[in-house]
């Protein structure tokens, strides 16, 4: 007994209306996207090469008709039922069986199931019609077209994403045979009891929604090692059909789920069995749960600001407290790993999330311009101890609260909350990205945000909710190593900043040379120029001015680049050192600052240049390893005044020991050394003090007159501790002869 799944064989074609059959149909991959199916059948060029994506744009305005013939299934036994179940179709669609409409829906995040038991004869024609991409009437041809739908706005074009709007069946869709008595939903919730810090006691609850009539519900809980720890059962009877059964277990000293770097992300297993009167298992449901508490709290000293009259409110809380322990959130912003989310699976997610885990990250902000990821994404975050800040699909638009839009948002948001609320990794709900600003124009009185807050409270009241990012006190930007207008570098503006959280900041660089050759035509490859493939892949004209390639910035520091390889190496060095500066400076600003999340971790397609740490599909840049060094639990660090130096200048970095580790750090010695070519200069030895858990120590400032420059024009500051080589840090900087100073236009001399 139990349930069995059966795949369907699909074809797809397009027409100009939902009732006009397509003249041609081709084989469809499910999950997938209609663009990929059509391109494969028609031999269209790779959308990622050159400007080929433009050849796909017409597909966003067509009706796409999927068709499948119901297969010959074994005869349903008495009491069994046949369902069509779908986890996600993008975006608006209707379903027909032999011409009769069964279902109509707008929204790609709301699953559905349709009973086909009475129409299960083999040979029936199942049809799914996907409507053209939604577009707000009168909107410009940009992301504002998505402002009256829950369609992810990124597909309409962004500064790192082309306009290519996916459509089609993007998540699992199949036939499913079940017993008449089966489990509709089984959720397990765990809460630490009040006052239970670190460990102590927890309550675990099962909520099971049932269909049909059965005799008994049996619930078993297994610890992270797979050992049974508790069992509960409920007698049902005929009157118990279509009810919700609730069972509770109390656990003493449970093993807690901890974020990466703070302990093991321990996961219990919950198994629910539905039994008939003979003890035969009719249906089962299995899930994993992490026992933990997560809150957003005010940082130390927050209530002291503002300090003078006239008074206003303090900044809202953004410090994460997990299991009673305050921690610094080191992480990143996550975007769709593919333009076509139908191609995403556990393997694709795993490549990227394991890189984030290895870089000592503990929080992933899932940006509101993109999709809500598939369940395997959250499985991996649960397993790896990566907390998730989950935004609803709103970004950089004024989502006017019309009745039609609010109806869709209500249904979609409830589906998202119900799907994720019992996840161990879920740390924060957020209304969306950059909504409280001039280009979006929303406020906390906007009906869409009031609706989202209400739904989160109704369905998941204990998970923190933010209306948007940033809020007062939090920061987005800067996104450049050097501001061409002011001449300021990240080394100057970041130490002046004073935010409670840096939830977006960028640092651009080119992609690897070997990747660029895969999607930039040879005749355009070098030198890069505006227009053509370089601009189509966001190296020019993507954001403000000469972004994201930033040729002028690279030339400002290094002079002309003679080869593509030289340009790439120089740009990637600036990105790595710039990101290292921001993460370490944010950590120095604890406890007021509690979070550093760069923009962004990954890409949806191959950009020629951008702020990502990982190029598409999963190619780490040097910056990823630099960020991983800056995010180690304990490290030797330096606050450095600038990047480019001149022989004879006084070099004055300040030394620090940074720790957000949950353990104390013993006193020791830190040595600072400057490497210039083959020469080595011992600058300073600092006897740093012992530190309690999650505490930093500022150290002395070095004062050293810089020697003659080496031939390569670079120098390296190296910080080492005697007893902990794993805390060693190094910083690559420029050192030029004094006679070269005017040529490199140094605007910021110490």
């Amino acid at each position: 007994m139990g349930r069995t799944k059966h795949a369907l064989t699909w074809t797809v074609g397009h027409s100009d209306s939902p009732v006009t059959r397509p003249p041609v149909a081709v084989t469809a991959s499910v999950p997938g996207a209609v663009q990929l199916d059509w391109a494969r059948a028609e031999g269209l060029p790779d959308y990622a090469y050159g400007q080929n994506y433009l050849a796909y744009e017409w597909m966003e305005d067509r009706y796409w008709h999927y068709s499948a013939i119901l297969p010959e299934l074994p005869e349903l036994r008495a009491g069994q039922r046949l369902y069509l179940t779908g986890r996600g179709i993008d975006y608006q669609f209707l379903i027909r069986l032999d011409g009769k409409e069964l279902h109509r829906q707008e929204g790609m995040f709301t699953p559905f199931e349709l009973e086909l038991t009475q129409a299960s004869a083999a040979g029936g024609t199942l049809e799914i019609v996907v409507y053209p991409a939604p577009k707000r009437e009168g909107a410009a041809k940009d992301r504002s077209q998505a402002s009256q739908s829950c369609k992810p706005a990124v597909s309409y074009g962004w500064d790192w994403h082309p306009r290519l709007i996916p459509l089609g069946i993007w998540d699992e869709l199949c036939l499913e045979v079940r017993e008449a008595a089966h489990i509709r939903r089984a959720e397990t919730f765990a809460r630490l009891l009040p006052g239970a810090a670190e460990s102590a006691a927890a309550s675990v609850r099962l909520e099971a929604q049932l269909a049909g009539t059965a005799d008994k519900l049996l619930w078993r809980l297994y610890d992270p090692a797979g050992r049974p720890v508790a069992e509960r059962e409920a007698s049902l009877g005929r009157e118990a059909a279509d009810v919700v059964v609730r069972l509770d277990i109390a656990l003493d000293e449970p093993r807690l789920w901890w974020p990466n770097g703070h302990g093991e992300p321990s996961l219990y297993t919950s198994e629910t069995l539905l039994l008939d009167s003979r003890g035969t298992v009719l249906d089962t449901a299995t899930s994993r749960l992490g026992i933990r508490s997560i809150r957003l709290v005010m940082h130390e000293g927050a209530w002291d600001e503002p300090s003078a009259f006239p008074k206003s409110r303090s900044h809202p809380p953004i410090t994460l407290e997990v299991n009673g322990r305050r921690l610094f959130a080191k992480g990143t912003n996550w975007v769709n790993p593919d333009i076509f989310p139908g191609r995403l699976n556990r393997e694709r997610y795993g490549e990227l999330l394991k890189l984030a885990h290895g870089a000592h990250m503990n929080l992933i902000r899932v940006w509101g311009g993109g999709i809500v990821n598939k369940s395997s994404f959250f499985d991996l975050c649960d397993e790896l101890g990566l907390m998730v800040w989950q935004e609803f699909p709103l970004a950089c638009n004024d989502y006017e609260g019309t009745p039609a839009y609010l109806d869709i948002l209500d249904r979609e948001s409830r589906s998202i909350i119900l799907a994720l609320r019992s996840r161990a990794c879920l740390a924060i709900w957020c209304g969306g990205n950059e909504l409280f600003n001039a280009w979006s124009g929303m406020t906390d009185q906007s009906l869409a945000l009031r609706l989202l807050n209400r739904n989160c409270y109704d369905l998941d009241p204990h998970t923190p909710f933010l209306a948007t990012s940033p809020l007062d006190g939090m920061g987005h930007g800067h996104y450049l190593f050097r501001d061409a207008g002011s001449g300021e570098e990240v080394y100057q503006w970041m130490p002046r900043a004073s935010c409670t959280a840096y939830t977006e900041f960028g640092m651009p660089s080119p992609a690897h040379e070997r990747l660029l050759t895969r999607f930039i035509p040879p005749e355009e490859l070098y030198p890069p120029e505006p227009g053509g493939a370089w601009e189509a892949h966001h190296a020019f004209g993507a954001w403000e001015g000469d972004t994201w390639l930033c040729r002028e910035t690279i030339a400002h520091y290094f002079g002309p680049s003679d080869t593509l390889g030289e340009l790439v190496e120089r740009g990637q060095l600036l990105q790595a050192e710039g990101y290292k500066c921001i993460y370490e400076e944010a950590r120095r600003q604890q406890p007021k600052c509690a979070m550093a999340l760069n923009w962004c971790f990954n890409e949806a397609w191959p950009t020629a240049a951008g702020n990502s740490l990982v190029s598409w599909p999963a190619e780490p840049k040097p910056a990823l390893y630099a960020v991983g060094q800056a995010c180690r639990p304990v490290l030797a660090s330096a606050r450095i005044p600038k990047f480019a130096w001149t022989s004879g200048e006084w070099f004055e970095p300040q030394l620090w020991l940074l720790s957000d580790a949950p353990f104390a750090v013993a006193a020791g010695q830190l040595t600072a050394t400057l490497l210039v070519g083959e020469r080595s200069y011992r600058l300073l030895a600092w006897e740093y003090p012992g530190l309690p858990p999650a505490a930093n120590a500022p150290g002395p400032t070095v004062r050293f007159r810089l020697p003659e420059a080496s031939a390569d024009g670079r120098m390296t500051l190296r910080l080492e501790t005697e007893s902990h080589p794993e805390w060693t840090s190094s910083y690559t900087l420029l050192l030029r002869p004094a006679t070269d100073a005017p040529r490199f236009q140094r605007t910021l001399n110490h």
Side-chain angles (χ1 to χ4, degrees), residues 94-114:
L94 63 84
I95 301 176
R96 293 191 287 246
L97 179 61
D98 291 332
K100 179 182 178 182
E101 185 174 316
L102 303 180
H103 183 67
R104 182 181 291 263
Q105 180 173 314
E106 179 174 351
M108 62 184 288
F109 303 118
T110 299
F112 62 87
E113 63 176 46
L114 306 174

Side-chain angles (χ1 to χ4, degrees), residues 500-518:
T500 57
Y502 300 96
T503 49
E504 265 195 36
F505 51 86
M507 198 60 54
S509 83
H512 293 305
E513 182 179 9
R514 68 178 183 278
L515 296 179
L516 292 168
T517 61
R518 297 179 191 172

Side-chain angles (χ1 to χ4, degrees), residues 3 83 111 113 178-189 205-214 216-219 234 236 240-247 270 272-274 283-285 418 421 459:
R3 56 182 75 191
Y83 292 87
E113 63 176 46
R178 307 176 193 163
E179 300 299 320
H182 59 268
I183 302 169
R184 290 190 184 277
R185 175 180 62 88
E187 285 187 272
T188 313
F189 305 93
R205 165 167 286 195
L206 170 72
E207 290 190 2
Q209 183 179 4
L210 309 177
T213 302
K216 182 189 299 183
L217 187 74
L218 184 63
W219 176 37
L236 301 174
D242 300 310
V243 299
V244 174
V245 176
R246 295 177 176 86
L247 297 172
S270 172
T272 307
L273 300 93
L274 190 63
D283 200 5
T284 62
L418 289 172
R421 64 182 179 178
L459 299 175

Side-chain angles (χ1 to χ4, degrees), residues 213-340:
T213 302
D215 187 69
K216 182 189 299 183
L217 187 74
L218 184 63
W219 176 37
R220 294 173 178 149
L221 191 65
Y222 300 86
D223 71 11
R227 296 182 295 262
V229 294
E231 181 174 302
R232 298 287 185 273
E233 66 176 56
S235 297
L236 301 174
R238 301 192 62 83
E239 70 282 357
D242 300 310
V243 299
V244 174
V245 176
R246 295 177 176 86
L247 297 172
D248 294 285
I249 292 173
L251 289 180
D252 291 327
E253 298 187 354
R255 292 179 59 181
L256 301 185
W257 186 92
W258 286 102
N260 186 24
H262 286 264
E264 291 299 316
S266 299
L267 293 171
Y268 286 71
T269 299
S270 172
E271 181 184 47
T272 307
L273 300 93
L274 190 63
L275 309 176
D276 65 13
S277 58
R278 295 171 294 179
T280 303
V281 176
L282 301 173
D283 200 5
T284 62
T286 302
S287 62
R288 293 181 300 176
L289 73 148
I291 298 173
R292 89 293 183 270
S293 67
I294 296 180
R295 299 196 305 154
L296 286 178
V297 299
M298 301 292 278
H299 65 80
E300 181 183 328
W303 294 118
D304 297 332
E305 297 179 3
S307 59
F309 287 101
K311 292 277 191 177
S312 182
R313 69 157 292 176
S314 298
H315 294 320
I318 195 63
T319 298
L320 277 163
E321 181 190 86
V322 182
N323 302 334
R325 179 191 301 170
R326 296 188 180 197
L327 54 83
F328 190 86
K330 302 172 293 190
T332 190
N333 282 265
W334 177 275
V335 302
N336 298 1
D338 201 295
I339 284 176
F340 299 104

Side-chain angles (χ1 to χ4, degrees), residues 50 211 230 232 366 463 531 627 635 650 680 684 716:
R232 298 287 185 273
V366 181
T463 299
V627 168
L635 70 147
W650 288 102
S680 175
L684 186 70
T716 300

Side-chain angles (χ1 to χ4, degrees), residues 333-641:
N333 282 265
W334 177 275
V335 302
N336 298 1
D338 201 295
I339 284 176
F340 299 104
R343 296 201 293 200
L344 296 176
N345 54 31
R346 182 181 172 92
E347 182 180 4
R348 288 285 304 278
Y349 284 133
E351 286 184 294
L352 293 166
L353 290 172
K354 288 173 185 175
L355 290 173
H357 178 272
H360 305 287
M361 293 180 175
N362 58 28
L363 179 64
I364 306 292
R365 177 186 174 222
V366 181
W367 175 69
I371 65 166
V372 178
N373 288 281
K374 295 180 179 179
S375 60
S376 55
F377 170 86
F378 298 95
D379 290 341
L380 285 160
C381 289
D382 283 345
E383 295 164 15
L384 294 170
L386 295 172
M387 295 181 291
V388 174
W389 164 328
Q390 180 62 58
E391 298 193 350
F392 292 97
L394 291 78
C396 299
N397 276 322
D398 183 357
Y399 291 86
E400 182 185 349
T402 63
Y405 171 66
L406 292 177
D407 180 63
I408 300 163
L409 181 63
D410 183 41
R411 181 175 61 255
E412 288 280 87
S413 62
R414 287 178 177 272
S415 297
I416 293 166
I417 297 165
L418 289 172
L420 303 184
R421 64 182 179 178
S422 59
R423 290 286 187 170
C425 61
L426 181 65
I428 298 171
W429 290 114
C430 181
N433 177 69
E434 294 182 3
L435 302 176
F436 290 179
N437 46 45
W439 53 90
S440 293
M442 298 181 73
T443 72
D444 52 10
Q445 297 304 309
S446 295
L447 293 180
L449 296 177
R450 293 177 66 183
L451 180 150
L452 291 173
N453 194 354
R454 180 202 68 188
N455 285 355
C456 285
Y457 181 82
D458 286 347
L459 299 175
D460 188 22
H462 298 291
T463 299
F465 175 85
L466 302 173
T468 188
S469 180
L471 292 173
D472 188 32
M474 298 154 57
H476 277 203
H478 208 325
Y479 301 91
L480 299 173
F481 187 91
R482 178 179 182 271
D483 188 281
S486 67
E488 281 197 318
E489 299 172 338
V490 61
Y491 296 91
Q492 288 90 48
W493 59 257
M494 187 62 197
R496 281 204 317 269
S498 180
C499 291
T500 57
Y502 300 96
T503 49
E504 265 195 36
F505 51 86
M507 198 60 54
S509 83
H512 293 305
E513 182 179 9
R514 68 178 183 278
L515 296 179
L516 292 168
T517 61
R518 297 179 191 172
F519 57 87
I520 303 293
E523 65 274 14
E524 298 184 46
L525 197 57
Y526 197 78
E529 297 293 345
W534 279 94
E535 186 164 327
H537 288 261
H538 303 94
F540 297 99
W543 188 53
E544 297 178 356
D546 181 28
T547 54
W548 295 116
L549 186 59
C550 300
R551 287 184 306 174
E552 293 179 5
T553 298
I554 295 172
H556 170 84
Y557 291 111
F558 301 98
S561 297
D562 296 327
T563 66
L564 179 60
E566 193 171 51
L567 181 74
V568 168
E569 187 275 335
R570 291 168 170 179
Q572 290 186 347
L573 172 64
L574 294 179
Q575 184 187 45
E577 294 299 322
Y579 268 139
K580 195 186 303 179
C581 169
I582 298 175
Y583 275 94
E584 292 186 17
E585 183 58 39
R587 293 181 63 176
R588 278 190 278 273
Q589 294 175 15
Q590 295 181 76
K592 179 176 181 178
C593 178
M595 191 176 291
L597 313 174
N598 86 294
W599 181 269
C600 55
F601 187 74
N602 58 311
E603 298 176 342
W605 84 316
T607 66
N611 294 276
S612 67
L613 297 173
V614 181
S615 293
W616 189 88
E619 292 274 353
K621 295 180 183 177
L624 176 67
Y625 303 109
V627 168
Q629 291 291 295
C631 290
R632 287 170 292 170
V634 184
L635 70 147
S637 177
R639 177 182 278 163
I640 302 171

